[in-house]
Amino acid sequence: MTQKIVHWNTHDFNGTPGAPGVIDLDPASLARTHPAIAQAIGRGRVTSHAIQYWGLGVLITLVVDED
């Protein structure tokens, strides 16, 4: 099973206004697009997440199971 996070902010902070953003949690895709996040997750599996928008940014918190 692969996972991804889809986030949306009607007050655009990066990209096309009103368009959803996608963070693909497939290990290979994540390593290409967000290598620092991929390294932090390591061999774990994202089991939950939370997204908090503020100002011009977004905070994404990931819960990772390390088996």
Side-chain angles (χ1 to χ4, degrees):
M1 176 180 79
T2 62
Q3 296 178 316
K4 64 182 166 184
I5 294 173
V6 177
H7 55 92
W8 179 57
N9 185 351
T10 59
H11 300 94
D12 183 64
F13 61 90
N14 188 9
T16 304
V22 176
I23 298 174
D24 193 343
L25 296 178
D26 167 69
S29 297
L30 189 61
R32 280 192 308 275
T33 59
H34 298 86
I37 295 173
Q39 185 177 8
I41 292 171
R43 294 183 157 271
R45 183 174 68 90
V46 176
T47 58
S48 180
H49 70 277
I51 298 175
Q52 176 65 47
Y53 295 98
W54 79 98
L56 297 178
V58 61
L59 172 65
I60 301 173
T61 304
L62 305 174
V63 177
V64 179
D65 280 352
E66 293 183 318
D67 294 328

